[in-house]
Amino acid sequence: MAKLVYEVRVLGEVGPAARQAFADVAVEVEPPATVLSGELDQAALHGLIERIEALGLELVDIRRV
C-alpha cells in the first residue's frame, strides 16, 4: 500500500510525555494546535488516530498534502 504525506492537527500543545507516543512522525506546535505530520500508509494513519484518541487529545483536522 502506498504511503502518502498527512498532516494531522490536534487542539492545544502536545507535551513532552505525549510526544513520545508520536516518535514516528514530526511534531510541530502551531498555536492553537499541534501538527503531526509524516509519510503514512492507511494502517499507520489509523494507528495515529487511535493514539490521539487514547491520549484524550481533540482531533481538529486531517489533510493529505
Side-chain angles (χ1 to χ4, degrees), residues 3-54:
K3 289 186 176 184
L4 301 169
V5 178
Y6 288 93
E7 284 186 350
V8 179
R9 292 180 185 271
V10 295
L11 189 60
E13 184 174 336
V14 174
R19 284 180 187 226
Q20 292 178 2
F22 303 114
D24 56 334
V25 295
V27 179
E28 202 171 319
V29 177
E30 293 181 8
T34 298
V35 179
L36 310 170
S37 60
E39 199 172 297
L40 307 167
D41 60 19
Q42 284 294 301
L45 177 61
H46 285 269
L48 182 64
I49 294 167
E50 288 173 4
R51 283 181 273 165
I52 290 168
E53 183 179 346

